[in-house]
Amino acid sequence: MSSRWGLLWPLLLLIVLPLAASWFAYPGTHLPPGFGVFPPVFVEPPPGFDMTVFLVVLLAEAVVVLLLLFPRLFGFKPATPAPMPAPARLPPWFWLGAAATGFFWWLMWARVTPFGDLVYYAFTPLWWGFILTLDGIVYRRSGGYSLLASRPKTFAISVAVSVVGWFFFEYLDYFALGNWYYPNSTMPQLSHAAIVALFLVAYTTVWPAVFEWYTLLNTFPKFVARYAGGPRITLPGGLLLWGGLALMVAMVFFPYPFFWALWIGTLAVFAGSLIRLGIPTPFSDMARGNWSPMILMALSSLFNGFFWELWNWGSMHPAALPVTNPNYWMYDVPYVNVIHLFAEMPLLGYLGYMPFGLLVWAMFIWAGGVFGFDTDLLPRDRQATSGG
């Protein structure tokens, strides 16, 4: 019970503190503009491009890229890759998923009418088709292991956590004055109730997609070993927790200078809560020198983000075509919202997917600690995170 309460009270503070801060930050309404409108819509124009901020973010991201490309420069030592298992046959759900991905991708981008109103509902089937496709590839490369085949309960729970987790993230986005918003969420072709239902169903895909990428990256033994011999760094749980809460309060008062706190602050709160209680996390592995789980989960979100952004961009561009995707989103981030390559996401924003991937995992482990379910994604996870 004490461990569960130790996980719950940081979440309660993460919910309540932004509301309390808003009381003082917005003396007229006591809430940020646009608060409670669901799906979130455009609030107000943020500050424009700032070269200084752009260069600072670029420099920070260049260090991350160097770490990923040349880990030995940062003290990583070579590690022996695990043997590659004999491949299995592609499972039936791979073919079903590949067909669904191809059809709904075409439908969402082409906006064709022979299928009637089905085009309005293409987003979620596209992503579930892609998730099944990824799972089938994992099954083949791992010799018969995948989340769907081997851990169906964990897979199903990730769906439920995904809905609640992304809805919570939408809640926090109100206090950042809308780092992202959904311009098609009021499209007249669908009722508001139908759009809300479509959004909640679409939320089922976020956590499973990131986890599928993580299991896929782990089928490349050399890639896993690349980051397994790093420096041992122990993160201070208490400092992360209280620092993260402080960042979230600062974001309420200064939403544009602290727009990045939405990802970093929330991650710090969940990670700090887990570390304080000694609950195994990817950060526990990093304390033993194994950075592979943390980096591969971050990359999983980054790789998946490429498809998130590409498919989203294609569902709206060019604007002369009919509006058919209610789930389409745009970004309203300050200072760095430039250089868009087949995406609404600014180029420097892509690396923001990396802490988001860690946040996805931390929230899942947090939920497992509260509700008592298994959060292991790979056969070796329990042994690795327990120090065995």
Side-chain angles (χ1 to χ4, degrees):
M1 179 62 70
S2 60
S3 176
R4 182 173 296 176
W5 174 242
L7 291 171
L8 286 173
W9 67 257
L11 174 66
L12 294 176
L13 286 179
L14 191 56
I15 295 172
V16 172
L17 282 180
L19 285 172
S22 295
W23 181 272
F24 301 98
Y26 301 96
T29 61
H30 304 301
L31 287 171
F35 183 87
V37 177
F38 186 83
V41 295
F42 177 79
V43 175
E44 62 181 42
F49 176 74
D50 186 291
M51 179 60 76
T52 301
V53 176
F54 181 86
L55 292 176
V56 169
V57 175
L58 179 62
L59 178 61
E61 294 191 354
V63 174
V64 175
V65 172
L66 282 175
L67 169 64
L68 297 175
L69 296 179
F70 308 103
R72 294 192 185 185
L73 295 178
F74 295 83
F76 284 75
K77 300 178 181 178
T80 303
M84 187 73 182
R89 296 186 62 180
L90 285 169
W93 60 87
F94 166 82
W95 303 106
L96 175 64
T101 301
F103 173 74
F104 286 104
W105 182 359
W106 165 76
L107 181 64
M108 192 167 70
W109 276 25
R111 302 173 174 85
V112 293
T113 55
F115 297 95
D117 292 347
L118 183 63
V119 65
Y120 302 135
Y121 309 98
F123 180 88
T124 299
L126 164 62
W127 274 98
W128 271 110
F130 189 53
I131 290 168
L132 292 178
T133 303
L134 289 174
D135 192 272
I137 296 172
V138 172
Y139 183 90
R140 172 174 171 77
R141 289 187 54 83
S142 64
Y145 177 89
S146 75
L147 290 176
L148 186 60
S150 308
R151 300 195 181 225
K153 181 178 178 180
T154 301
F155 184 81
I157 292 173
S158 75
V159 174
V161 172
S162 185
V163 175
V164 179
W166 187 258
F167 189 82
F168 179 64
F169 219 50
E170 298 276 25
Y171 162 76
L172 294 177
D173 188 42
Y174 288 122
F175 301 101
L177 298 186
N179 278 341
W180 65 88
Y181 64 98
Y182 305 93
N184 295 351
S185 62
T186 57
M187 55 189 291
Q189 296 92 333
L190 299 171
S191 68
H192 182 256
I195 288 177
V196 169
L198 283 175
F199 270 71
L200 294 178
V201 173
Y203 292 173
T204 63
T205 64
V206 181
W207 266 243
V210 174
F211 289 166
E212 288 292 353
W213 273 102
Y214 177 70
T215 56
L216 176 59
L217 294 183
N218 274 276
T219 64
F220 295 86
K222 292 183 179 179
F223 201 37
V224 175
R226 181 182 182 85
Y227 306 108
R232 299 187 178 191
I233 297 180
T234 301
L235 299 178
L239 181 61
L240 283 175
L241 170 58
W242 294 108
L245 290 172
L247 280 176
M248 299 306 288
V249 172
M251 185 184 73
V252 176
F253 286 99
F254 309 101
Y256 295 129
F258 285 91
F259 73 94
W260 49 271
L262 181 60
W263 299 276
I264 304 301
T266 310
L267 171 60
V269 171
F270 278 96
S273 302
L274 296 168
I275 293 171
R276 285 180 68 251
L277 297 174
I279 297 175
T281 68
F283 307 105
S284 309
D285 295 320
M286 188 173 67
R288 291 186 288 271
N290 182 12
W291 291 48
S292 181
M294 186 182 71
I295 290 181
L296 264 60
M297 184 60 77
L299 289 175
S300 297
S301 179
L302 176 62
F303 292 164
N304 197 64
F306 170 81
F307 291 93
W308 267 324
E309 299 302 334
L310 177 65
W311 288 338
N312 177 66
W313 171 83
S315 70
M316 184 64 177
H317 185 83
L321 294 175
V323 175
T324 55
N325 178 18
N327 299 102
Y328 172 81
W329 63 86
M330 296 184 69
Y331 294 97
D332 208 18
V333 295
Y335 312 125
V336 296
N337 197 11
V338 294
I339 311 179
H340 299 264
L341 303 176
F342 304 105
E344 296 296 344
M345 171 71 79
L347 183 61
L348 292 189
Y350 272 100
L351 284 197
Y353 273 116
M354 297 184 69
F356 175 70
L358 298 178
L359 175 57
V360 163
W361 204 358
M363 291 178 71
F364 190 64
I365 296 172
W366 178 93
V370 172
F371 297 103
F373 61 81
D374 181 15
T375 61
D376 296 335
L377 302 177
L378 299 171
R380 65 173 183 272
D381 277 353
R382 184 170 300 279
Q383 179 181 3
T385 54
S386 64

